[in-house]
């Protein structure tokens, strides 16, 4: 699912209907900033808005997901392609989450022995400092890589308005979290709650 292509399609169909971003946003009960975000490819309409958006633009959900008008004969083919793309996106996200967990585990496996050796064996202070420094660098790099992979895998879903979004890296890092939830501010409704990790955007 290409959000940039879909965004351009939304913009094209909105202009074709003669709506400004503000007019369309008022019809959907959302902010014009949200419409702008979709059209720039920086987000995707939440599930509850798909049918109202398609109704206002006189398009089908299948056409929205394809990012283009679909003829009758191509309709079924595009529907199947869209389903395959959604499954593929979910699988890619799952792979990134697994890879993120593996990187975190390998980081611990690589760094802990350095700390143990530096404290358990007699050695010169500069060697001890080198081992501790190397262990610290390994941990910082490993955590950074794991965080980037996890943030890019899928999205987070706001429990209030069901918007799916990818948070900024700073918000992602600073948000308190459990295994599958992270406290984030929703860019759509502004709620600051624990958002669930989902595999598709």
């Amino acid at each position: 699912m290409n959000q940039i292509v879909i965004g351009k399609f939304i913009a094209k169909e909105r202009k074709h209907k003669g709506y400004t971003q503000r007019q369309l946003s008022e019809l959907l009960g959302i902010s014009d900033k949200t419409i702008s975000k979709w059209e720039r490819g920086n987000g995707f309409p939440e599930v509850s808005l798909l049918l109202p958006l398609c109704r206002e633009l006189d398009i089908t959900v299948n056409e929205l997901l394809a990012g283009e008008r679909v003829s009758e004969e191509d309709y079924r083919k595009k529907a199947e392609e869209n389903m395959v793309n959604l499954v593929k996106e979910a699988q890619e996200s799952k792979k990134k989450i697994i890879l993120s967990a593996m990187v975190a585990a390998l980081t611990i496996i690589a760094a802990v022995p350095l700390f143990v050796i530096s404290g358990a064996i007699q050695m010169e202070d500069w060697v001890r400092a080198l081992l501790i420094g190397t262990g610290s660098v390994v941990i910082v790099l490993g955590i950074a890589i794991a965080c980037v992979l996890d943030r890019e895998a899928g999205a987070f879903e706001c429990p209030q308005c069901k918007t799916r979004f990818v948070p900024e890296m700073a918000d992602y890092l600073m948000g308190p979290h459990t295994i599958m939830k992270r406290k984030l501010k929703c860019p759509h409704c502004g709620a600051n709650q624990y958002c669930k990790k989902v595999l598709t955007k």
Side-chain angles (χ1 to χ4, degrees):
M1 193 165 59
N2 190 324
Q3 288 189 10
I4 292 172
V5 170
I6 292 171
K8 287 179 180 174
F9 181 60
I10 291 171
K12 178 184 164 194
E13 294 302 318
R14 171 182 60 77
K15 289 170 187 169
H16 179 71
K17 292 285 287 184
Y19 294 143
T20 63
Q21 288 183 342
R22 175 161 293 195
Q23 287 170 327
L24 181 58
S25 70
E26 287 170 356
L27 289 168
L28 297 173
I30 56 175
S31 74
D32 55 347
K33 287 180 182 175
T34 302
I35 303 288
S36 173
K37 189 174 76 172
W38 296 346
E39 293 185 356
R40 285 180 282 123
N42 292 332
F44 186 76
E46 62 186 80
V47 175
S48 63
L49 287 173
L50 288 180
L51 289 175
L53 173 63
C54 291
R55 196 166 40 245
E56 294 300 337
L57 298 180
D58 281 333
I59 59 174
T60 65
V61 173
N62 194 24
E63 288 173 324
L64 178 66
L65 294 175
E68 63 183 358
R69 288 280 182 177
V70 180
S71 64
E72 284 291 324
E73 57 269 15
D74 289 340
Y75 193 86
R76 185 175 178 152
K77 183 181 168 194
K78 280 291 178 186
E80 289 171 357
E81 281 178 17
N82 289 332
M83 287 301 296
V84 168
N85 287 337
L86 287 171
V87 170
K88 199 182 290 182
E89 184 183 344
Q91 288 174 340
E92 287 297 319
S93 295
K94 196 180 272 187
K95 282 180 192 172
K96 284 181 183 174
I97 290 170
I98 291 168
L99 189 56
S100 169
M102 286 172 63
V103 168
L106 288 172
T107 298
I108 292 167
I109 291 167
V112 168
L114 295 175
F115 294 128
V116 171
I117 291 168
S118 70
I121 299 173
Q122 284 287 352
M123 60 184 73
E124 296 203 25
D125 288 342
W126 70 269
V127 177
R128 191 182 317 280
L130 182 64
L131 287 173
I132 292 171
T134 303
S136 300
V137 168
V138 167
I139 285 177
V140 169
L141 285 175
I143 289 172
I145 293 167
C147 285
V148 168
L149 287 168
D150 185 60
R151 176 183 163 268
E152 291 176 356
F156 288 88
E157 184 177 273
C158 173
Q160 191 85 11
C161 66
K162 304 300 181 196
T163 296
R164 292 184 176 189
F165 64 96
V166 176
E168 296 295 325
M169 184 55 86
D171 296 332
Y172 174 86
L173 292 173
M174 299 306 291
H177 61 281
T178 62
I179 293 172
M180 289 303 289
K181 291 186 177 182
R182 191 171 288 267
K183 193 167 187 185
L184 299 163
K185 184 176 181 180
C186 174
H188 176 64
C189 70
N192 194 12
Q193 297 186 22
Y194 277 91
C195 300
K196 185 174 71 174
K197 181 80 171 175
V198 291
L199 295 177
T200 56
K201 296 173 186 172

